């Protein structure tokens, strides 16, 4: 990944200011993210994992409650319900080539939360899910950790249709800053709860006390240290301003990889790269596992780690199992990190 | 940093000065573009472990994360108890609750030493006790040798919350190396700051391997990783740590001489303790309960000097009173109602220090 000089300068200005913990730059990032994503509240946190963890706690998940999660969810979304004592149930996919989970099909009367993922930066129909969840009293959390910059079929930002949306700013993610995350919500009470729990449920933070706005504090719940700091906030803010350009670059890279798929290999979403996608990876589906492994070897030979869909949750999910066996994820962030051009990787895949 | 905004105190509690060499170190990471945990994190871990004299250092996102992983690595789980001080930041106890275990609060020693009282700890050890947590308050050693002996006798693990105490010592040995694991903080107001950060130090190979695995979400759903820019900043600042601490000690010695002349003030710890402490903060205790808020308010409003309170007692927070009602820790409660933390940072000038002392004298007289 190459950062622009303006991004570097913004982050360094925060470092040289000497005020490194949550302060004015966090506030500015949160205001900018809320505006860009079209939500009332955006809260900067330490990681996408922390974002999902806080969203689950804020949604009221706890001992004995159940969350329905995509069978393809990564560890961040798959383990988040568990860390608040709840159970995560895996929803199977609709099709290997359209790796969208049938979340509503896995809902039961005991379901408290549904977590919808936007795999590889292709947005699922979160707006439709939100309507369905609202009629059943279910909290919808969008795992948008792969989807900063993606848009939903209705044109809104991915992450903005659920009760809570969770983004990752980890290295390799579009807009990444190292480690970081953002929680968005339109609900004042959920925002207040996330804000409180990210910093030990303290009634005032260091910045308030520094400015003489508070003398001491109470602790009103068992919270966490899931704070982001000022240098990361400054960098995230500068990167957020470039999200449009970053999405265009990723889409171009994704098209290059898709076009390089050998004749017997099909990209997921075979007709075309979906219009609102902000690609994190390209999922290439091989006819069988042996062929998938050959593609993976070609990728590894370029210096790019080859992954498939993660397996974090157990349960009867035969379509997901088949998808996992036949899919190789060509991670565009990993290609950037390796300092490679998508065309180099495409060349290797074409020959595989 | 020059604090000049209209709402900021003219003399803050802490003031982090970032040097050009620090900025150059961070700039090199941004220009390189690989920001996720990598070679700088490894280099910082190696340098910190060497500086501390321990086998393993695992860099993390916060000291809270370090405490959580330390308890987990010590085998703390649902149904267990961990004996913790209440005169600490809530994370020491919160991290016990993250493990599904119960924090059992022990009282402080007293006004001369704010750390956990080993005599009280001994009375609290029961069949469910799994570990004891000691906080090196302000960078002054808790009685870790006695606590380690207690742990040895009862088959418990000692966890050192060394958030305040990088490079502080007890005898010739660095704090954070006496127990099963030590947890350090790199929060911006700390002795070795980077913004948000922490570290787990241990001689136990299993604990180190556990922390390395579980700081990444794939293992168990937590993300407690540090990233490269923070590691680069810490590596740069670690080179000046001993100098920073030497300046802190000189200021504390001078504070103590000035404070000895004031009536109504108790200064904890002994002069010789300063020489081994990391001198994270300058704590004082007021003889009269009820003076704490008026004195702090007068210092802020009349003299624009920021003070702090280390700490409100953890067992008295709403979240804890609701979960663990009826706890009485008289010495801790008295400390929490009389402690005032004065400004302290390595480049504080004698003029600034004299301003603090004069302001305190004025606040005490009114």
């Amino acid at each position: 990944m190459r950062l622009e000089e303006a991004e570097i300068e913004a982050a360094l200005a925060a470092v040289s200011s000497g005020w490194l913990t949550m302060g004015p730059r966090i506030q500015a990032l949160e205001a900018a993210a809320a505006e860009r994503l079209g939500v009332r509240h955006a809260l900067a946190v330490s990681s996408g994992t922390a974002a999902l963890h806080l969203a689950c706690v804020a949604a009221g998940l706890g001992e004995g409650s159940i969350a329905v999660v995509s069978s393809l969810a990564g560890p961040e979304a798959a383990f988040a319900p568990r860390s608040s004592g709840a159970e995560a149930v895996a929803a199977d996919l609709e099709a290997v080539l359209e790796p969208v989970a049938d979340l509503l099909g896995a809902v039961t009367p005991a379901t408290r939360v549904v977590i919808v993922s936007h795999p590889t930066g292709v947005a699922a129909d979160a707006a439709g899910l939100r309507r369905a969840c609202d009629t059943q009293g279910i909290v919808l959390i969008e795992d948008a950790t792969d989807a900063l910059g993606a848009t939903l079929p209705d044109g809104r930002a991915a992450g903005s249709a659920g009760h809570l949306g969770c983004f990752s700013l980890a290295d390799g993610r579009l807009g990444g800053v190292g480690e970081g995350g953002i929680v968005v919500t339109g609900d004042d009470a959920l925002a207040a709860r996330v804000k409180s729990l990210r910093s030990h449920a303290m009634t005032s933070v260091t910045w308030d006390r520094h400015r003489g706005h508070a003398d001491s504090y109470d602790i009103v719940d068992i919270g966490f240290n899931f704070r982001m700091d000022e240098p990361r906030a400054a960098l995230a803010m500068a990167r957020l301003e470039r999200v449009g350009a970053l999405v265009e670059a990723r889409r171009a890279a994704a098209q290059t990889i898709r076009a390089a798929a050998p004749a017997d290999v099909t990209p997921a979403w075979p007709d075309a790269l979906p219009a609102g996608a902000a690609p994190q990876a390209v999922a290439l589906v091989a006819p069988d596992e042996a062929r998938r492994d050959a593609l993976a070897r070609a990728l590894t030979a370029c210096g790019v780690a080859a992954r498939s869909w993660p397996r974090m949750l157990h349960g009867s999910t035969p379509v997901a199992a088949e998808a996992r066996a036949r899919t190789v994820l060509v991670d565009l962030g990993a290609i950037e990190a390796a300092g490679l051009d998508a065309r180099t990787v495409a060349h290797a895949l074409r020959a595989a | 940093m020059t604090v000049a905004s209209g709402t900021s105190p003219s003399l803050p509690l802490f003031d982090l000065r970032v040097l050009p060499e620090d900025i150059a170190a961070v700039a090199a990471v941004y220009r390189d573009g690989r920001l996720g945990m990598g070679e700088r994190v490894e280099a910082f871990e190696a340098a910190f472990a060497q500086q501390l004299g321990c086998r393993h250092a695992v860099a993390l996102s916060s000291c809270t994360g370090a405490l959580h992983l330390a308890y987990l690595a010590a085998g703390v789980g649902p149904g267990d108890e961990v004996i913790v001080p209440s005169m600490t930041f809530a994370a020491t106890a919160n991290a016990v609750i993250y493990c599904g275990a119960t924090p059992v609060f022990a009282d402080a020693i007293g006004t001369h030493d704010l750390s956990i009282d080993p005599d009280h700890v001994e009375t609290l050890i029961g069949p469910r006790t799994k570990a004891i947590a000691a906080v090196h308050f302000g960078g002054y050693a808790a009685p870790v040798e006695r606590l380690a002996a207690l742990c040895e006798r009862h088959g418990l693990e000692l966890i050192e919350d060394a958030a305040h105490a990088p490079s502080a010592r007890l005898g010739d040995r660095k704090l954070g190396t006496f127990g099963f694991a030590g947890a350090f903080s790199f929060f911006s107001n700390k002795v070795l700051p980077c913004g948000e950060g922490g570290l787990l130090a241990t001689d136990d190979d299993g604990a180190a391997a556990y922390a390395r695995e579980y700081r990444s979400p794939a293992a168990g759903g937590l993300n407690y990783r540090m990233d490269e820019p923070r590691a680069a900043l810490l590596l740069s600042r670690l080179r000046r740590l001993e100098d920073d601490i030497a300046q802190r000690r000189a200021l504390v010695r001078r504070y103590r001489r000035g404070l000895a002349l004031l009536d109504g003030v108790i200064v904890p710890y002994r002069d010789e303790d300063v020489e081994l402490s990391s001198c994270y903060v300058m704590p004082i205790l007021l003889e009269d309960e009820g003076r704490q808020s008026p004195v702090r308010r007068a210092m802020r409003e009349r003299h624009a000097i920021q003070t702090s309170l280390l700490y409100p007692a953890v067992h008295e927070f709403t979240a804890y009173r609701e979960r663990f009602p009826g706890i009485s820790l008289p010495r801790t409660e008295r400390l929490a109602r009389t402690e005032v933390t004065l400004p302290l940072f390595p480049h504080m000038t004698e003029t600034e220090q004299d301003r603090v002392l004069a302001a305190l004298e004025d606040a005490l007289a009114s």
Side-chain angles (χ1 to χ4, degrees):
Chain A
M1 179 178 75
R2 206 180 67 77
L3 293 173
E4 299 280 310
E5 202 51 35
E7 295 172 327
I8 295 172
E9 289 306 320
L12 293 178
V15 175
S16 3
S17 82
W19 190 272
L20 301 186
T21 43
M22 286 204 309
R25 289 172 175 88
I26 292 280
Q27 291 170 2
L29 168 65
E30 293 178 342
E35 193 186 335
R36 160 150 219 116
L37 298 165
V39 283
R40 212 166 139 75
H41 304 281
L43 295 156
V45 296
S46 57
S47 67
T49 305
L52 280 153
H53 184 107
L54 288 170
C56 284
V57 178
L61 271 185
E63 217 64 58
S65 53
I66 290 176
V68 170
V69 184
S70 164
S71 48
L72 299 188
E76 299 90 346
F79 292 147
R82 237 182 265 173
S83 49
S84 43
E87 189 192 336
V89 171
D92 203 0
L93 302 187
E94 291 175 358
V96 169
L97 288 175
E98 302 267 349
V100 174
D102 177 19
L103 295 162
L104 293 176
V107 163
T108 67
T111 305
R112 167 101 190 117
V113 162
V114 165
I115 303 181
V116 57
S117 297
H118 302 300
T120 70
V122 176
D125 180 17
L129 272 172
R130 172 67 188 263
R131 286 190 293 276
C133 285
D134 278 343
T135 62
Q136 300 177 65
I138 292 170
V139 179
L140 178 67
I141 296 174
E142 283 186 74
D143 167 12
T145 50
D146 271 342
L148 181 63
T151 48
L152 300 171
D154 68 2
R156 282 187 288 163
S160 70
H163 295 87
L164 294 139
C166 302
F167 295 89
S168 169
L169 301 176
D171 201 34
R173 292 314 211 295
L174 192 151
V177 299
E179 296 287 352
I182 294 178
V183 181
V184 299
T185 179
D187 183 293
D188 293 351
L190 289 174
R193 190 133 168 76
V194 169
K195 189 172 182 175
S196 168
L197 291 171
R198 79 169 158 187
S199 189
H200 285 297
M202 295 164 77
T203 52
S204 74
V205 297
T206 311
W207 178 243
D208 295 331
R209 296 195 292 280
H210 176 72
R211 289 180 303 164
H213 290 183
D215 243 348
S216 188
Y217 59 89
D218 189 13
I219 285 185
V220 294
D221 203 343
I222 303 303
F224 312 94
N225 179 351
F226 287 152
R227 296 182 297 256
M228 185 188 280
D229 52 22
E230 290 278 286
R232 283 180 283 165
L235 182 57
M237 174 99 168
R239 302 219 77 201
L240 201 59
E241 285 166 12
R242 285 183 56 225
V243 159
L246 295 173
V247 170
E248 283 319 305
R250 283 283 178 92
R251 286 187 64 90
Q255 298 289 20
T256 303
I257 300 295
R258 288 173 66 97
D264 61 336
V265 173
T266 314
W269 297 280
D271 295 344
L273 179 65
Q280 174 62 35
V282 175
L284 295 178
V285 183
D288 55 40
E289 197 163 356
R291 191 70 182 104
R292 183 251 163 221
D293 290 346
L295 290 172
R297 280 194 298 275
L299 260 187
T300 312
C302 300
V304 177
R307 297 183 290 119
S308 183
W309 300 113
R311 178 172 181 78
M312 295 293 159
L313 296 169
H314 294 271
S316 176
T317 52
V319 185
E322 189 191 338
R324 223 173 268 121
R326 289 173 51 195
T327 303
V328 66
L329 296 175
V330 184
D331 190 314
L332 303 176
I335 293 175
E336 289 168 16
L340 294 172
D341 192 285
R343 280 169 297 191
T344 313
V345 177
H347 185 72
L349 287 170
R350 206 172 281 127
Chain B
M1 158 172 125
T2 313
V3 178
S5 95
T7 49
S8 297
S10 66
L11 186 46
L13 186 67
F14 72 95
D15 185 26
L16 199 167
R17 181 166 287 177
V18 179
L19 297 189
E21 68 216 56
D22 300 332
I23 296 163
V26 181
V29 179
Y30 289 135
R31 297 225 152 80
D32 169 67
R34 283 179 215 198
L35 307 184
M37 192 168 71
E39 62 192 40
R40 271 108 178 170
V41 169
E42 276 178 38
F44 171 63
E45 291 176 341
F48 194 90
Q50 189 188 30
Q51 205 268 354
L52 202 68
C54 65
R55 276 172 68 82
H56 307 284
V58 183
L60 300 165
S61 59
S62 67
C63 186
T64 305
L67 287 163
H68 187 188
L69 292 175
Y71 292 142
L72 287 173
V76 174
D80 293 333
E81 292 178 353
V82 178
I83 301 172
V84 299
S86 180
M87 179 47 48
T88 180
F89 183 63
T92 320
N94 277 359
V96 175
I97 296 176
Y98 304 159
C99 301
T102 303
V104 174
F105 291 100
D107 212 345
I109 295 173
T111 53
H112 60 292
D113 184 338
L114 281 59
S115 48
I116 193 167
D117 175 9
D119 291 330
H120 191 208
V121 168
E122 196 164 3
T123 68
L124 297 171
I125 295 172
R128 300 201 299 162
T129 309
K130 191 87 181 180
I132 298 170
V135 174
H136 301 296
F137 185 96
Y140 298 89
V144 271
E145 289 171 319
R146 274 200 62 199
L147 291 168
L150 271 180
C151 285
E152 178 79 36
R153 200 178 327 138
H154 294 272
L156 311 175
E157 300 292 2
L158 175 64
I159 308 297
E160 292 175 80
D161 180 340
H164 299 181
S167 206
R169 285 176 292 142
L170 177 62
D172 290 332
R173 195 161 153 191
K174 295 273 172 78
L175 302 183
T177 67
F178 286 82
F180 175 73
F184 290 86
S185 170
F186 308 127
F187 187 66
S188 62
N189 64 9
K190 293 297 193 295
V191 176
L192 179 62
C194 77
E196 296 287 353
L199 180 143
L200 182 145
T202 184
D203 287 331
D204 187 289
D205 296 348
Y210 183 92
R212 287 186 196 288
E213 184 177 0
Y214 279 82
R215 69 178 155 182
S216 285
L222 302 170
N223 180 349
Y224 282 144
R225 289 186 301 247
M226 181 181 281
D227 53 21
E228 293 281 279
R230 283 178 280 171
L233 180 57
L234 286 165
L235 199 50
S236 173
R237 298 191 68 95
L238 183 63
R239 295 186 193 107
R240 301 198 303 276
L241 177 64
E242 294 305 333
D243 292 341
D244 283 349
I245 291 174
Q247 284 179 285
R248 287 174 176 275
R249 285 182 186 142
L251 287 161
V252 168
R253 279 182 220 117
R254 194 168 178 277
Y255 253 142
R256 293 173 69 91
R257 289 196 295 275
L259 289 163
L261 307 174
L262 299 184
D263 286 333
V265 172
I266 301 165
V267 183
Y269 303 102
R270 302 166 305 174
D271 288 341
E272 56 264 43
D273 297 332
V274 174
E275 305 314 312
L276 301 179
S277 171
S278 55
C279 293
Y280 163 51
V281 285
M282 183 65 232
I284 61 166
L285 305 164
L286 305 180
E287 278 177 2
D288 297 336
E289 282 197 35
R291 297 296 304 276
Q292 187 185 47
S293 286
V295 163
R296 292 188 61 206
R297 197 178 317 119
M299 291 186 73
R300 188 181 70 232
E301 290 174 1
R302 291 215 297 268
H303 303 278
I305 291 172
Q306 187 192 16
T307 62
S308 186
L309 193 186
L310 272 67
Y311 287 100
V314 175
H315 72 282
E316 295 194 296
F317 285 130
T318 301
Y320 280 86
R321 277 191 284 106
E322 285 171 358
R323 288 168 178 78
F324 312 103
I327 296 172
S328 165
L329 302 169
R331 279 167 279 157
T332 296
E333 288 157 25
R334 184 178 164 77
L335 293 171
R337 290 181 204 1
T338 57
E339 202 275 347
V340 175
T341 305
L342 303 177
L344 180 66
F345 42 90
H347 55 276
M348 189 179 197
T349 64
E350 293 193 352
T351 312
E352 286 173 323
Q353 204 171 27
D354 290 340
R355 252 187 75 197
V356 175
L357 289 166
L360 178 61
E361 187 172 16
D362 175 64
L364 286 165
S366 54

